[in-house]
């Protein structure tokens, strides 16, 4: 937990002084050092767009999951309720069915009993 807080709470990289910049930050600054303002804005917009697109896809997937989870929970509850009803009905009528099957069985089966 402390590692997570430290990692997420660090101060952002200052490109003008390289203060608080890590290896990745410095490598990216080296990569874009020859970019003019238009190219930097283009790169920034591209990254923002990629992040927004993936974020939107994630939100859609999470929403779909929640919907399907609710449907699955409702289906499971219905299944459990039906199972309880079936069990009650079998307890209530099962012995009658056994008697009726025995009474309606062919005569050979009766003599074997």
């Amino acid at each position: 937990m402390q590692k997570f807080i430290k990692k997420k709470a660090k101060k952002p990289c200052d490109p003008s002084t390289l203060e608080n910049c890590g290896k990745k930050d410095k490598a990216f600054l080296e990569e874009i050092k020859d970019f003019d303002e238009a190219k930097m804005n283009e790169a920034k917009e591209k990254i923002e767009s990629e992040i927004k697109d993936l974020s939107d896809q994630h939100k859609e997937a999470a929403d779909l999951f929640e919907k399907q989870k609710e449907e699955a929970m409702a289906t499971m509850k219905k299944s459990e309720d039906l199972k309880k009803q079936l069990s009650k009905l079998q307890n209530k009528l099962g012995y009658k069915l056994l008697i009726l099957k025995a009474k309606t069985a062919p005569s050979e089966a009766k003599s074997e009993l």
Side-chain angles (χ1 to χ4, degrees):
M1 182 79 160
Q2 291 296 332
K3 243 188 217 182
F4 175 78
I5 291 171
K6 234 181 209 182
K7 184 177 181 182
K8 295 296 179 185
K10 76 174 191 165
K11 294 179 182 178
C13 171
D14 183 353
S16 58
T17 64
L18 298 181
E19 187 176 342
N20 301 317
C21 296
K23 288 180 183 179
K24 285 191 224 177
D25 298 326
K26 290 176 183 175
F28 184 67
L29 285 168
E30 183 66 29
E31 181 182 328
I32 64 168
K33 72 179 180 185
D34 296 329
F35 284 15
D36 61 8
E37 191 169 337
K39 185 134 179 159
M40 279 192 226
N41 282 330
E42 181 184 324
K44 180 184 81 165
E45 289 170 7
K46 181 182 178 201
I47 291 171
E48 286 173 339
S49 175
E50 286 179 27
I51 290 172
K52 184 184 179 316
D53 289 347
L54 199 54
S55 178
D56 291 346
Q57 289 177 20
H58 173 263
K59 184 178 180 339
E60 286 176 21
D63 291 346
L64 178 62
F65 172 76
E66 285 301 316
K67 180 182 174 204
Q68 290 175 338
K69 182 175 81 171
E70 289 169 8
E71 290 173 3
M73 294 298 287
T75 302
M76 186 174 81
K77 182 174 179 356
K78 183 178 178 181
S79 174
E80 289 172 353
D81 291 345
L82 290 170
K83 186 177 180 181
K84 285 178 188 176
Q85 289 176 13
L86 176 62
S87 179
K88 284 180 183 178
L89 188 62
Q90 285 175 332
N91 286 337
K92 181 179 177 182
L93 301 176
Y95 74 95
K96 291 180 181 180
L97 180 61
L98 290 173
I99 292 172
L100 289 170
K101 281 183 177 179
K103 293 286 273 175
T104 60
S107 58
E108 284 181 19
K110 287 182 185 175
S111 63
E112 289 179 13
L113 292 177

